[in-house]
Amino acid sequence: QGQFVESGGDLVQPGGSLRLSCAASGSICSRRGLGWYRQAPGKQRDLVATISSGGTTWYTASVRGRSTISRDHVKNTMYLEMNSLNPEDTAVYYCNVPGMLVSWGQGPQVTVSS
């Protein structure tokens, strides 16, 4: 069992929306920031969005303005809502701790097909 359980991947048409969820284990310190990463076929894994323990957010340019990262401290769960999806969003998505990068799990596949 990994330290994160990601879910919410799906096959979606361009322009559609989805929400990814990441349930973190109790070993993940709530004072640390969390981030969503993605890896497209043949590409390196890239950081997509981050959220600090206080709620400060950051987004990579390609998703900025159409995505929202959030976290629920009670449930110890992080979310990524993505709208206006395009084929460039096709990737396997992962959550992790920026700056620490614990073991990667098996992230959900997001496929945007036109």
Side-chain angles (χ1 to χ4, degrees), residues 10-114:
D10 203 359
L11 171 64
V12 64
Q13 296 299 119
S17 302
L18 57 72
R19 186 179 77 161
L20 301 175
S21 298
C22 172
S25 72
S27 65
I28 301 299
C29 181
S30 63
R31 293 184 179 181
R32 284 189 172 274
L34 298 174
W36 283 99
Y37 299 75
R38 67 185 180 186
Q39 186 170 27
K43 306 289 186 179
Q44 67 180 55
R45 184 179 284 120
D46 293 321
L47 183 62
V48 177
T50 62
I51 183 168
S52 72
S53 62
T56 301
T57 60
W58 172 90
Y59 304 89
T60 193
S62 62
V63 307
R64 194 172 299 142
R66 61 186 181 91
S67 299
T68 302
I69 186 171
S70 61
R71 65 192 299 174
D72 184 328
H73 288 286
V74 175
K75 296 181 178 179
N76 203 19
T77 300
M78 177 178 62
Y79 307 94
L80 180 66
E81 298 181 35
M82 302 185 69
N83 305 306
S84 301
L85 290 164
N86 59 70
E88 287 68 45
D89 296 315
T90 296
V92 176
Y93 285 70
Y94 307 87
C95 52
N96 216 310
V97 184
M100 191 167 76
L101 299 182
V102 298
S103 299
W104 300 99
Q106 183 177 359
Q109 172 74 51
V110 174
T111 301
V112 184
S113 180
S114 61

